[in-house]
Amino acid sequence: MKLQRKNRLRATALGVIAVSSALALTACGSDNNDSGSGTSGGTGGKTNAASNIKCDGAKGQLLASGSSAQKNAMDLWVKNYMAACKGVEINYKASSSGEGIIAFNQSQVGFAGSDSALKPEEVANSKKVCAGGGQGINLPMVGGPIAIGFHLEGVDSLVLDAPTIAKIFTGKIKNWNDEAIAKLNSGAKLPDKAIQAFHRSQDSGTTQNLGKYLGATAKADWPYPAEKKWPAPGGQAAAGSSDVAAQVKQTDGAIGYFELSYATAQSIKTVDLNTGAAAPVKATPENASKAIAAAKIKGTGKDLALSLDYATKADGAYPLVLVTYEIACDKGNKGDTLGTVKSFLTYTAGDEGQKILSDAGYAPIPAEINTKVRETVAGLQ
């Protein structure tokens, strides 16, 4: 009897360790650019009592792709959702916003992720795959700061303003001890070291949002249109946010831009922005939320595209932000995946899906906007 009791206690302890390990892995997310996917057995059902995730209508496999900016959030969402909705497989391929929209408009995926709203020509193309007069719409799902990450041995903190960032990424400022940088960092021991600036190689909504910020705040030094394709000469290119972050992490003298979650995952130092506010603003989910809270809906009908104020000087507001949209048909979604799309996006837009974002380096969508997202998701056809 004593031996049996000892065995039972040992099995219980091992079970607790296994569960704790699984929860730790869930909280960590991922910093690579592979697809966040997996499988789970069983059958779809009604509300899961433990998680409050509604699985009604969800079944089979759902393919999605696009923004790598939301990958770490999507990894957590997919893991939690599939644990609750047995027998449903969500396969999200984190590539780029441009590739996701192309895949959506070629009817290859149930929804796409994009860090910028659909252009008029992309909406027109979506009407070919959204049956019954439907079209692609923008559903803001996750926000967050675009961090300017740097790796400079001996320098632990760095303040930059928009004109200086623009000059760095256009190659006009070439060394870390440049007068413009030194002026913003009084007392810092800046080395006489060449700057190595990294940018995204493929079409990227992160690139476009950086361009919108620089265009709004440093027009004289950033004369380029805000497009997904990197516009400036020079610099070094890397495929995705995780690849840019990896290059910055391993290269002394490097600087790059990527979502805060990648900086957090790889312990990369980030720039504080001199916006003209009372003090430089750090890249944090809370400070990004202050900027996103001022966003206005510019879309019409069921489209919820947002207009962001990249030039805000409000104290504590970090203006270099992005909002990632999930792109779906307002009506005419594919019948075999519509139930899963609605169920999954209902979870991601719900309280349970949004509350996990801050710990992963993201900013939840402001409540007023998020209420409209939930209403629109519920009405998808």
Side-chain angles (χ1 to χ4, degrees):
M1 291 296 290
K2 289 183 177 181
L3 180 60
Q4 289 177 339
R5 184 172 182 272
K6 288 177 67 177
N7 286 339
R8 285 198 302 271
L9 290 172
R10 182 173 181 272
T12 300
L14 289 173
V16 169
I17 292 171
V19 171
S20 300
S21 299
L23 289 173
L25 288 171
T26 299
C28 289
S30 171
D31 63 359
N32 63 45
N33 227 24
D34 299 328
S35 65
S37 62
T39 58
S40 181
T43 57
K46 296 183 179 180
T47 302
N48 181 282
S51 67
N52 295 319
I53 294 176
K54 294 183 178 180
C55 308
D56 290 325
K59 61 182 179 180
Q61 184 186 63
L62 172 62
L63 300 179
S65 70
S67 164
S68 65
Q70 68 171 357
K71 175 180 165 38
N72 293 334
M74 189 62 71
D75 282 349
L76 292 173
W77 283 335
V78 167
K79 187 176 296 185
N80 292 346
Y81 181 84
M82 292 199 307
C85 300
K86 305 300 183 182
V88 182
E89 179 184 354
I90 310 289
N91 188 322
Y92 182 83
K93 180 182 179 183
S95 50
S96 70
S97 298
E99 292 178 43
I101 291 172
I102 289 172
F104 178 77
N105 281 340
Q106 291 180 348
S107 198
Q108 297 174 1
V109 294
F111 71 89
S114 177
D115 306 327
S116 55
L118 292 169
K119 295 180 179 179
E121 59 268 28
E122 293 168 338
V123 173
N125 289 334
S126 74
K127 294 178 180 180
K128 301 173 184 176
V129 298
C130 298
Q135 67 176 51
I137 57 173
N138 302 283
L139 300 169
M141 199 63 66
V142 57
I146 299 174
I148 304 293
F150 70 96
H151 177 180
L152 194 57
E153 296 295 337
V155 178
D156 292 327
S157 63
L158 190 68
V159 175
L160 296 176
D161 59 14
T164 306
I165 293 170
K167 291 174 185 176
I168 288 173
F169 280 108
T170 56
K172 293 179 181 178
I173 292 179
K174 301 181 183 298
N175 261 47
W176 279 109
N177 64 347
D178 186 274
E179 182 180 353
I181 301 176
K183 187 176 180 180
L184 291 164
N185 295 273
S186 178
K189 294 182 179 180
L190 299 169
D192 182 10
K193 185 183 293 293
I195 295 173
Q196 298 192 53
F198 289 89
H199 59 262
R200 292 281 293 272
S201 60
Q202 83 279 55
D203 287 2
S204 161
T206 312
T207 295
Q208 187 173 37
N209 281 279
L210 174 65
K212 289 178 179 178
Y213 167 71
L214 294 177
T217 55
K219 185 64 177 178
D221 300 298
W222 190 264
Y224 308 104
E227 300 290 348
K228 293 186 179 76
K229 185 176 180 62
W230 180 255
Q236 302 176 60
S241 289
S242 62
D243 299 312
V244 174
Q247 290 295 331
V248 172
K249 174 74 173 178
Q250 68 188 20
T251 307
D252 186 18
I255 190 170
Y257 60 95
F258 31 79
E259 296 67 42
L260 180 63
S261 62
Y262 292 96
T264 302
Q266 299 194 43
S267 300
I268 297 171
K269 299 179 180 70
T270 60
V271 166
D272 297 344
L273 292 183
N274 182 335
T275 65
V281 186
K282 294 185 178 298
T284 67
E286 295 77 17
N287 292 343
S289 290
K290 291 178 183 178
I292 296 172
K296 305 296 183 184
I297 295 175
K298 64 179 181 179
T300 58
K302 294 183 179 180
D303 184 79
L304 300 177
L306 301 179
S307 176
L308 298 169
D309 182 5
Y310 295 97
T312 180
K313 296 181 180 179
D315 288 346
Y318 186 88
L320 180 47
V321 297
L322 60 74
V323 169
T324 291
Y325 302 93
E326 311 309 341
I327 309 296
C329 297
D330 57 357
K331 60 180 179 179
N333 289 280
K334 292 184 285 187
D336 58 340
T337 58
L338 173 59
T340 309
V341 168
K342 291 181 68 173
S343 172
F344 181 66
L345 296 185
T346 295
Y347 159 61
T348 62
D351 290 338
E352 192 167 346
Q354 290 288 300
K355 73 181 181 182
I356 68 173
L357 294 177
S358 295
D359 289 342
Y362 296 97
I365 298 299
E368 182 179 347
I369 297 170
N370 187 248
T371 297
K372 295 181 180 179
V373 174
R374 298 184 199 187
E375 293 171 354
T376 303
V377 169
L380 294 179
Q381 300 176 25

